[in-house]
Amino acid sequence: MRLRDGVADGGDRDPVAVVHAALDAGITMVDTADAYQNEELVGRTIRGRRDEVLLAAKFGLVWQGEVAGDFDVRADPEYVRQACESSLRRLGVEVIDLYYLHHRSDTVPIEETVGAMAELVDQGKVRALGLSNVTADDLRRAHAAHPIAALQEQWSLVQRDIEQELLPTAAELGVAVVAHSPNGHGVLHRSPSTADERTTNDLSTALGEIAHAHETTRGQVALAWVHHRQQAHGVAVIPIPGTTSVRHLRDNVAAADLALSHDELRRLDILRATS
């Protein structure tokens, strides 16, 4: 989401270097959206390595200004087709592997949106369908119209709303969960003295102590907790931490191999972030 042109100098934050380092490390999913305004950049970074990438893109958010959250949602069938063609052109690819509706619509029934997305699958322009920012009812209705492969929602130690209704529905339907912001937008990297108000001192302290025991970082422990959700809930879970530097990318990759004990996981599970 935060990859941008203007830093292509071959350094630690060169977006091409970041994506290539991810592919070299065995990461396969590259996730973008038309709303991120970086599809052309993403297309350039994977050029020549397309067969190594599970390319995910999203549509539906139409920005109305520069202020965060200032957007409309377009999910009508005509826009579905228009958005896909535009993304394919900007990305420079013939097919998108996983195509998401970025946000639920209050005006267009989700069956209509998914029906149009399913036509893209039939036409060979999209391989699988996903949803983001939806309700459990949306997911169930959409899945009845066409199989939904993935549900992308925020999930971290400081944002666990997904566990109430969406997660059980995804598990029942066999839908993979793609967890964005698994480090709480960077909050879970911080020490108790600098922690965000959403992070209790107890949670931050626990992360620090577990990190010390494993000779790793708070952020890596928090990310490892999300990786362990697959075992806890019986559903495929793919965290996608936002990464703009090669160094940070390598830290994130290492977190996938961090095995937390039952007691450590239980300690983190029972610590709830303040609202």
Side-chain angles (χ1 to χ4, degrees):
M1 183 172 65
R2 295 190 300 272
L3 289 181
R4 290 292 180 269
D5 274 317
V7 289
D9 58 2
D12 184 62
R13 292 189 175 275
D14 183 325
V16 176
V18 171
V19 174
H20 284 197
L23 299 178
D24 291 344
I27 292 172
T28 56
M29 178 180 282
V30 176
D31 180 276
T32 187
D34 53 7
Y36 300 164
Q37 300 179 343
N38 65 2
E39 286 180 315
E40 292 180 348
L41 169 61
V42 169
R44 293 199 305 272
T45 67
I46 65 173
R47 195 165 297 149
R49 304 187 69 169
R50 177 66 180 93
D51 60 349
E52 300 175 56
V53 173
L54 192 161
L55 180 61
K58 311 179 199 70
F59 76 95
L61 297 188
V62 181
W63 293 111
Q64 298 302 313
E66 298 298 323
V67 180
D70 187 13
F71 60 82
D72 290 333
V73 174
R74 285 283 306 273
D76 54 280
E78 180 182 357
Y79 188 74
V80 172
R81 294 185 284 269
Q82 174 188 329
C84 182
E85 291 293 345
S86 296
S87 286
L88 288 169
R89 184 179 65 255
R90 285 189 294 265
L91 289 163
V93 299
E94 295 182 354
V95 60
I96 294 168
D97 298 308
L98 176 59
Y99 200 43
Y100 292 95
L101 170 64
H102 205 153
H103 198 290
R104 71 182 309 275
S105 170
D106 291 328
T107 58
V108 180
I110 200 159
E111 292 88 348
E112 289 187 22
T113 306
V114 172
M117 295 169 71
E119 291 177 6
L120 300 174
V121 176
D122 293 339
Q123 294 165 6
K125 296 176 181 178
V126 168
R127 290 197 170 102
L129 305 185
L131 301 176
S132 184
N133 299 303
V134 295
T135 67
D137 181 61
D138 291 331
L139 176 57
R140 196 176 296 280
R141 288 164 51 199
H143 194 74
H146 186 280
I148 300 299
L151 171 72
Q152 184 173 147
E153 300 287 336
Q154 187 174 174
W155 196 5
S156 71
L157 279 164
V158 292
Q159 178 51 266
R160 298 177 64 171
D161 290 350
I162 186 177
E163 297 173 14
Q164 297 174 14
E165 294 184 3
L166 267 170
L167 184 63
T169 303
E172 175 191 337
L173 299 175
V175 178
V177 176
V178 178
H180 76 77
S181 310
N183 272 312
H185 298 289
V187 165
L188 295 169
H189 290 283
R190 302 173 190 167
S191 66
S193 61
T194 60
D196 185 278
E197 62 181 7
R198 290 173 293 162
T199 312
T200 64
N201 283 334
D202 287 346
L203 176 56
S204 189
T205 298
L207 285 170
E209 290 176 356
I210 295 170
H212 179 75
H214 288 272
E215 298 183 340
T216 186
T217 68
R218 285 180 173 81
Q220 287 172 305
V221 172
L223 184 53
W225 178 87
V226 180
H227 278 291
H228 281 75
R229 296 305 85 199
Q230 179 160 315
Q231 302 164 226
H233 297 282
V235 60
V237 178
I238 304 96
I240 49 169
T243 309
T244 58
S245 75
V246 173
R247 178 188 59 79
H248 193 189
L249 170 80
R250 289 174 178 154
D251 288 344
N252 290 340
V253 171
D257 294 324
L258 178 56
L260 302 179
S261 71
H262 174 77
D263 288 344
E264 289 169 336
L265 289 168
R266 190 178 187 295
R267 182 181 181 189
L268 294 173
D269 285 345
I270 64 177
L271 291 173
R272 300 287 180 172
T274 57
S275 59

